[in-house]
Amino acid sequence: GDRDRALQLLTELEAVGHRLGQPRVAASARLERAMQNLAHGDQSGALEQLALAEQSFSWADASNYWFIANDTLTPTIARLRVMLRTGSAHKAIAPLRTELAEAERLMRGRRALKLRILLAEALHTDGQGKMSLRTLDRALKFAQNEGYIRSFLEEGAVIQAMLRELHSELDEGDATGEY
């Protein structure tokens, strides 16, 4: 909850990346800063940091490798998240499905989880309530086995509200034998 400290640490991480000649580390700090800006309503700051992250590292070359730190923190995922949070959720649905299918094909569970959570949010924002809850439920079932909690919490208020709604529907379904 300490945004100032978080931004200070990201600045330090970026500086370390530059000092050690690790452009992916510096670019990752910029991606995270973009997400921090987006979470706090600074869309232009988010887009600026995202563009800097894309320019400062060759992400296309890195796509052939698996970097655990960038499993869920990539320019592609960041751009899709920006679309969701800036009124273009309907445009994000197809690319999210494509990215999700690829993550599943490559058996990248954490990445697939993050993409499924974002897809659930996109579907919800697009007015596809039942489908969004089914998608979120599927993400929860995977996360439950692995103990992932932060993946949901870090996506903010919409996902948290959807989790409460899903919990409520599951409770009602248990009482009636449906869902």
Side-chain angles (χ1 to χ4, degrees):
D2 187 348
R3 183 168 190 248
D4 290 336
R5 180 71 175 133
L7 292 174
Q8 178 186 6
L9 289 171
L10 289 172
T11 299
E12 290 175 23
L13 179 62
E14 184 178 349
V16 167
H18 289 302
R19 188 173 62 248
L20 297 177
Q22 298 291 322
R24 183 177 59 85
V25 172
S28 295
R30 288 178 171 156
L31 284 175
E32 185 58 42
R33 194 177 301 118
M35 297 305 89
Q36 289 284 322
N37 288 341
L38 186 61
H40 287 86
D42 181 4
Q43 294 174 7
S44 63
L47 289 170
E48 177 184 338
Q49 288 300 312
L50 180 52
L52 288 170
E54 289 172 324
Q55 294 165 7
S56 61
F57 180 69
S58 178
W59 293 97
D61 294 342
S63 67
N64 295 326
Y65 302 97
W66 180 61
F67 298 112
I68 194 165
N70 294 104
D71 202 26
T72 61
L73 185 66
T74 67
T76 300
I77 293 174
R79 286 232 173 255
L80 290 166
R81 188 180 285 112
V82 167
M83 290 172 72
L84 286 175
R85 312 273 162 77
T86 58
S88 297
H90 63 285
K91 292 179 183 176
I93 293 171
L96 278 165
R97 284 186 170 137
T98 300
E99 290 292 322
L100 175 57
E102 181 66 4
E104 288 176 333
R105 186 185 72 76
L106 295 171
M107 297 185 338
R108 291 189 175 166
R110 286 182 58 234
R111 183 187 201 92
L113 173 62
K114 180 57 71 177
L115 290 163
R116 193 175 310 285
I117 293 167
L118 293 173
L119 177 59
E121 181 180 344
L123 292 166
H124 174 81
T125 303
D126 193 47
Q128 300 180 47
K130 292 289 185 193
M131 179 63 78
S132 70
L133 291 180
R134 280 195 297 272
T135 302
L136 189 60
D137 186 49
R138 191 160 172 214
L140 274 172
K141 286 179 178 152
F142 172 81
Q144 181 179 14
N145 294 333
E146 300 294 330
Y148 294 122
I149 296 170
R150 175 73 37 211
S151 294
F152 295 89
L153 297 177
E154 66 192 7
E155 292 308 326
V158 172
I159 290 296
Q160 291 170 29
M162 289 176 65
L163 287 168
R164 286 188 294 276
E165 182 180 349
L166 182 61
H167 180 73
S168 175
E169 285 201 14
L170 290 174
D171 283 348
E172 289 174 16
D174 284 346
T176 63
E178 300 176 4
Y179 173 67

